[in-house]
């Protein structure tokens, strides 16, 4: 009788280290992803001595909390506008509490968001391991998530003291929801309730993201009565946990808490329009991860797995504002599938004839038998993706991921010390997108004075889109001149006391020119304006309105 040759002890011993080596690739790549996320985010943060881009509204709200001895204020003092204090306060309370324990607020606004976003990468790795068909796919997806700009650009800013909490807790909530709908049990219900509650208490956009994503998961993955009842139980638990805050703000402000849903500042169809152009990943130079995600979409549709492709459509359809910050999760998951399940197998199949010309060693055979794509090939490709993404993103996002300069802060310190507390300012920076206008947002926080065209916080007062349009129109006046400035104010029945013009110098052939030099010269010659401050950060004119004698 012919039998298969027995595997000798020597052969088994040779294969054991190979298995051990292969088993180490997965955690090694995950460690790389977390390490790259930490170093890359810190690189941006360390470039500035001030919180990146935004956060002025939240800085003032932390002040309000501390002045109220941690009781929830009725309104915030930001811009003296009576804005309802209805923003989810968890991150603000954490910052205020840590400040009372001795951690400086400046460090908290700079580094706390970074720590939380790195934690989000770790949480995403667990989610990817649960959702994706192989460890190779989940490892590649985790690297993609760590690199995609929309996974960290906005969460590491000063405003990340709330955004980063929302991102982390929403990922954890999705993980528990997936476990509930695929495995059941009590712990996922408890975890979903707790993580959903902390998401609601952290960030409004992340809360809305969960509000439709969790039911979507149930529709695609379960559709069972028992998991539906478990979901209701988790929702009830989350409501109970956030009820002290939610009941308070609803009792005080009523429907004001829903105003951002009625007018988010974005067209309801803008998200789908951008998805149609696949303007989702916001990768500079070339959308490598976006290309891989498209391959992942085709693979999942071919395998009749619809969760991720449909989710990628649901997000922009239901959340036009900042949808790319939520869609980054399915995009990264699909990119992991596209790389490990589509692109690399195709490449290996293309070189298969060359591989057959040489003998395979045991480890190569083992790698082929266990999935077709050797881990070292995946590692090599991921290193190339990391190099391309970090270099291009570092250059492209440097202007956005910048903080106020010392000159900016010196000019604002002068305003705080030398102007009346009720003074009203037109702040001109030339930045027509309010989300990148760091000077305009931080001005009320650092001076205590009114910026007549600031946008942040006004979504809770209504007419948010009109506020954005007005701010954009004012910034265009920085180049159009004095007549535009005065027409802007008169058409809106606005009185102003000072004009604050941020310096935007540029150089030609070694000579310095002021970007708004024409406006500065025009105001300097006008009898209705008096120069009161000229520094490297800003030029400030007082509006005196000298009237001609009849």
């Amino acid at each position: 009788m012919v039998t298969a040759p027995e595997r000798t002890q020597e052969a088994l011993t040779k294969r054991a280290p190979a298995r051990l080596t292969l088993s180490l690739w997965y955690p090694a790549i995950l460690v790389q992803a977390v390490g790259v996320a930490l170093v890359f985010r810190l690189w941006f943060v360390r470039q500035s001595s001030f919180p990146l881009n935004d956060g002025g509204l939240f800085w003032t709200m932390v002040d309000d909390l501390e002045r109220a001895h941690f009781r929830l204020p009725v309104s915030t003092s930001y811009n003296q506008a009576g804005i309802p204090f209805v923003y989810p306060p968890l991150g603000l309370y954490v910052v205020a509490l840590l400040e009372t324990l001795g951690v400086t607020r400046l460090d908290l606004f700079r580094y706390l968001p970074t720590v939380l976003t790195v934690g989000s990468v770790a949480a995403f790795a667990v989610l990817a391991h649960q959702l994706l068909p192989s460890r190779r796919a989940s490892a590649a997806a985790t690297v993609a998530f760590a690199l995609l700009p929309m996974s960290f650009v906005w969460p590491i800013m000063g405003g990340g003291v709330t955004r980063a909490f929302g991102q982390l807790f929403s990922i954890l909530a999705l993980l528990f929801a997936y476990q509930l709908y695929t495995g059941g049990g009590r712990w996922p219900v408890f975890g979903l309730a707790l993580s959903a509650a902390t998401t609601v208490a952290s960030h409004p956009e992340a809360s809305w993201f969960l509000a439709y994503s969790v039911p979507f998961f149930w529709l695609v993955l379960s559709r069972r009565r028992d998991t539906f009842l478990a979901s209701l139980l988790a929702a009830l638990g989350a409501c109970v946990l956030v009820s002290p805050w939610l009941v308070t703000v609803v009792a005080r402000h009523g429907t004001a808490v829903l105003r951002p849903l009625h007018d988010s500042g974005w067209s309801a169809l803008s998200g789908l329009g951008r998805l149609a152009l696949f303007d989702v990943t916001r990768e500079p130079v070339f959308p490598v991860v976006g290309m891989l995600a498209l391959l992942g979409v085709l693979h999942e549709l071919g395998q009749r797995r619809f969760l991720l492709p449909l989710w990628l459509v649901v997000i922009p359809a239901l959340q036009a504002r900042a949808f790319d910050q939520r869609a980054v999760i399915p995009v990264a998951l699909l990119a992991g599938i596209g790389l490990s399940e589509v692109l690399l197998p195709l490449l290996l199949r293309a070189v298969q004839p060359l591989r057959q010309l040489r003998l395979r060693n045991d480890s190569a055979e083992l790698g082929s038998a266990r999935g077709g794509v050797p881990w070292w090939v995946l590692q090599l490709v991921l290193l190339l993706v990391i190099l391309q993404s970090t270099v291009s993103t570092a250059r492209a996002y440097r202007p956005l991921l910048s903080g106020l300069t010392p000159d900016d802060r010196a000019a604002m310190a002068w305003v705080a010390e030398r102007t009346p507390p009720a003074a009203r300012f037109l702040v001109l920076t030339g930045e027509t997108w309010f989300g990148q206008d760091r000077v305009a947002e931080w001005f009320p926080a650092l001076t205590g004075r009114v910026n007549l065209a600031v946008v942040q916080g006004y979504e809770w007062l209504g007419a948010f889109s009109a506020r954005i349009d007005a701010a954009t129109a004012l910034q265009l006046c920085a180049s159009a001149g004095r007549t535009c400035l005065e027409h802007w104010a008169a058409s809106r029945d606005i009185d102003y006391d000072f004009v604050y013009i941020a310096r935007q110098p540029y150089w030609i052939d070694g000579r310095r020119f002021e970007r708004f030099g024409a406006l500065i010269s025009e105001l300097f010659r006008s009898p209705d304006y008096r120069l009161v401050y000229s520094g490297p950060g800003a030029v400030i004119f007082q509006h005196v309105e000298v009237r001609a004698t009849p």
Side-chain angles (χ1 to χ4, degrees):
M1 178 170 114
V2 180
T3 60
E6 281 189 347
R7 294 181 180 174
T8 63
Q9 185 62 36
E10 181 181 359
L12 292 174
T13 323
K14 284 182 180 178
R15 290 181 181 273
R19 290 193 185 95
L20 180 61
T21 302
L22 289 171
S23 68
L24 292 177
W25 276 108
Y26 177 63
I29 292 178
L30 295 185
V31 170
Q32 288 175 52
V34 174
V36 166
L38 176 61
V39 172
F40 198 30
R41 288 149 176 75
L42 282 177
W43 182 85
F44 282 110
V45 172
R46 298 287 295 173
Q47 297 292 312
S48 173
S49 61
F50 200 74
L52 302 180
N53 196 39
D54 67 1
L57 170 64
F58 301 140
W59 185 280
T60 301
M61 295 178 83
V62 172
D63 280 335
D64 297 330
L65 274 177
E66 292 181 353
R67 282 195 294 267
H69 305 290
F70 289 86
R71 299 185 188 93
L72 195 69
V74 175
S75 61
T76 174
S77 59
Y78 184 76
N79 211 43
Q80 304 179 30
I83 298 170
F85 203 112
V86 297
Y87 201 94
L90 178 60
L92 308 176
Y93 271 107
V94 170
V95 170
L97 178 61
L98 291 176
E99 188 175 24
T100 62
L101 297 177
V103 186
T104 66
R105 189 187 306 181
L106 191 63
D107 285 339
L108 289 169
F109 268 69
R110 293 178 66 205
Y111 294 109
L112 179 60
T114 298
V115 172
L116 293 170
T117 59
V118 174
S120 294
V121 174
F124 179 88
V126 181
L127 179 66
H129 181 71
Q130 299 262 326
L131 264 72
L132 298 186
S134 68
R135 291 191 301 173
R136 289 173 178 80
S138 64
T142 304
V143 173
F145 183 79
L147 294 174
L148 278 169
M150 289 301 100
S151 74
F152 71 89
V153 166
W154 292 95
I156 66 170
M157 295 178 184
V161 294
T162 63
R163 295 189 198 107
F165 277 109
Q167 182 190 61
L168 174 60
F169 292 133
S170 64
I171 292 174
L172 291 175
L174 293 171
L175 172 63
F176 288 120
Y178 182 82
Q179 291 176 343
L180 174 62
Y181 301 143
T182 57
R186 297 180 180 178
W187 284 110
V189 177
F190 174 78
L192 178 57
L194 181 59
S195 54
T198 48
T199 301
V200 172
S202 298
H203 197 264
E205 292 171 8
S207 304
W208 175 236
F209 173 59
L210 275 191
Y212 61 79
S213 292
V214 172
F216 173 74
F217 271 35
W218 178 83
L219 284 172
V220 176
L221 298 172
S222 179
R223 296 192 298 275
R224 300 201 317 265
R225 183 174 180 272
D226 60 329
T227 54
F228 177 76
L229 294 176
S231 301
L232 292 181
L233 182 61
L236 178 62
C239 290
V240 170
L241 290 173
V242 299
S243 59
W245 164 69
L246 195 57
V247 169
T248 300
V249 297
V250 170
R252 288 175 175 176
H253 306 289
T255 58
V257 298
L258 301 176
R259 282 176 184 158
L261 291 177
H262 296 303
D263 184 4
S264 69
W266 274 255
S267 166
L269 298 178
S270 62
L272 288 175
R274 284 180 50 196
L275 179 65
L277 300 173
F278 211 71
D279 179 19
V280 180
T281 63
R282 294 302 179 95
E283 297 171 88
V285 183
F286 181 77
V288 174
V289 177
M291 176 196 70
L292 295 174
L294 279 175
L295 293 177
V297 169
L298 296 176
H299 179 273
E300 292 298 278
L301 293 177
Q303 297 293 318
R304 301 184 65 80
R305 292 196 293 258
F306 302 112
L307 175 67
L308 298 180
L310 288 178
W311 196 18
L312 191 57
V313 176
V314 167
I315 293 173
L318 297 180
Q319 190 164 11
R321 176 174 174 171
F323 89 92
D324 45 13
Q325 297 177 44
R326 313 302 153 201
V328 69
I329 297 175
V331 165
L333 294 169
L334 288 165
I337 294 173
L339 178 60
S340 66
E341 309 299 322
V342 181
L343 182 61
L344 292 184
L346 286 175
L347 293 176
L348 291 177
R349 185 177 300 175
V351 301
Q352 188 69 25
L354 296 177
R355 297 177 66 198
Q356 291 176 349
L357 295 177
R358 63 182 180 84
L359 295 175
R360 302 176 184 172
N361 57 34
D362 289 341
S363 63
E365 289 177 354
L366 184 60
S368 178
R370 290 186 129 190
V373 180
W375 276 98
W376 68 268
V377 175
L378 179 65
Q379 172 69 92
L380 177 61
V381 174
L382 287 177
L383 287 176
L384 294 175
V385 173
I386 289 171
L387 179 63
Q388 187 272 346
S389 181
T390 53
V391 172
S392 60
T393 303
R395 182 173 182 177
Y397 281 89
R398 184 71 185 88
L400 175 61
L401 292 177
S402 300
L404 293 180
T405 66
D407 293 337
D408 291 327
R409 281 131 59 189
M412 293 184 193
W414 184 91
V415 170
E417 295 170 2
R418 304 291 294 276
T419 63
R424 297 156 64 84
F425 281 75
L426 295 181
V427 178
L428 296 168
T429 65
E431 177 56 64
T432 56
W433 179 41
F434 78 93
Q436 192 169 311
D437 198 346
R438 61 183 66 87
V439 171
E441 180 181 351
W442 280 99
F443 182 87
L446 299 186
T447 66
R449 307 303 185 261
V450 174
N451 176 358
L452 289 164
V454 73
V455 172
Q456 284 79 5
Y458 280 78
E459 59 263 52
W460 308 104
L461 293 177
F464 189 50
S465 295
R467 186 80 184 184
I468 294 175
D469 293 340
T472 302
L474 176 63
Q475 297 310 324
L476 292 174
C477 290
S479 300
R482 171 192 167 188
T483 302
C484 173
L485 197 70
E486 294 176 346
H487 174 74
W488 183 92
S491 64
R492 292 166 176 83
D493 196 22
I494 289 176
D495 294 325
Y496 58 96
D497 304 307
F498 294 88
V499 178
Y500 181 106
I501 305 174
R503 287 196 182 272
Q504 302 282 344
Y506 61 94
W507 283 261
I508 299 177
D509 294 332
R511 297 178 60 189
R512 172 179 168 136
F513 295 86
E514 287 292 339
R515 180 181 175 190
F516 309 124
L519 175 63
I520 293 172
S521 298
E522 194 176 1
L523 296 183
F524 186 77
R525 294 192 302 267
S526 171
D528 290 339
Y529 297 87
R530 180 167 61 90
L531 180 66
V532 294
Y533 178 86
S534 180
V539 177
I540 304 174
F541 291 90
Q542 185 175 8
H543 186 210
V544 294
E545 283 192 299
V546 175
R547 303 296 183 187
T549 304

